[in-house]
């Protein structure tokens, strides 16, 4: 996975086909984001992973240890993750997963029906955290 922070506080997570498990570069990107001490939302157009994120045990262990070290910052600054999932059946099936996800990572998992829907959800999550005059997602030309 790789992160695109071009539209921060909207952070797009995209699959990196060259990497099969969490690596140092991804963890470093997340640490840099958390060090900003600003709210952000993670978005992904990948939808629900049919493979169930079947990572090797060592990679899962590394991710869990990393999460435990950064738990407070994850809960403080990540306002949620929004997956674009056009399939109503997958969104419904994802509700149970979203509950477990939120308990584990400390921030909620939401599903958007389209890219625009996901962006609307993400902007709402940021607005809840920020006062209106500090909202970086608000268009100034509107």
């Amino acid at each position: 996975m790789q992160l695109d922070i071009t539209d921060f506080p909207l952070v797009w997570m995209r699959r990196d086909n060259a990497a099969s498990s969490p690596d140092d570069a991804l963890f470093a990107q997340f640490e840099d984001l958390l060090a900003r001490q600003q709210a952000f939302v993670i978005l992904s157009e990948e939808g629900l992973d049919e493979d169930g994120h079947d990572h090797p045990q060592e990679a899962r262990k590394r991710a869990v240890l990393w999460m435990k070290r950064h738990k407070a910052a994850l809960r403080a600054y990540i306002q949620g993750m929004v997956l674009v999932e056009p399939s109503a059946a997958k969104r419904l099936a994802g509700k149970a997963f979203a509950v477990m996800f939120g308990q584990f990572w400390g921030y909620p998992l939401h599903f958007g029906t389209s890219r625009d829907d996901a962006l609307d959800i993400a902007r709402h999550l940021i607005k809840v955290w920020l006062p209106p005059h500090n909202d970086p997602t608000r268009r100034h030309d509107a």
Side-chain angles (χ1 to χ4, degrees):
M1 294 293 206
Q2 59 185 15
L3 302 177
D4 177 356
I5 62 169
T6 305
D7 296 321
F8 186 87
L10 306 177
V11 177
W12 287 94
M13 183 181 286
R14 295 190 172 89
R15 191 163 300 173
D16 181 358
N17 293 330
S20 61
S21 63
D23 60 358
D24 292 333
L26 181 62
F27 288 132
Q29 283 185 298
F30 266 113
E31 287 172 9
D32 289 345
L33 284 169
L34 295 172
R36 290 179 177 214
Q37 297 184 352
Q38 297 175 354
F40 64 97
V41 175
I42 303 166
L43 297 111
S44 176
E45 292 183 284
E46 305 293 330
L48 282 175
D49 188 352
E50 299 266 338
D51 299 330
H53 291 90
D54 191 23
H55 298 296
Q57 183 175 355
E58 187 60 35
R60 285 193 308 261
K61 183 178 177 182
R62 268 186 77 214
V64 168
L65 292 173
W66 184 91
M67 183 277 301
K68 286 182 178 181
R69 283 194 311 271
H70 297 88
K71 191 173 198 171
L74 289 166
R75 290 176 186 265
Y77 302 117
I78 301 178
Q79 301 308 295
M81 180 171 194
V82 185
L83 299 181
V84 176
E85 182 51 72
S87 167
K90 287 184 181 180
R91 287 193 310 274
L92 182 61
K95 286 188 178 194
F97 174 72
V99 171
M100 292 184 304
F101 178 95
Q103 290 171 344
F104 180 79
W105 286 105
Y107 54 88
L109 175 63
H110 302 275
F111 298 97
T113 58
S114 65
R115 180 182 172 92
D116 287 341
D117 187 36
L119 285 167
D120 286 345
I121 294 167
R123 288 181 183 120
H124 173 75
L125 292 170
I126 292 296
K127 285 179 184 176
V128 169
W129 196 80
L130 295 172
H133 65 279
N134 287 337
D135 181 359
T137 65
R138 197 171 114 223
R139 291 184 49 171
H140 297 287
D141 60 337

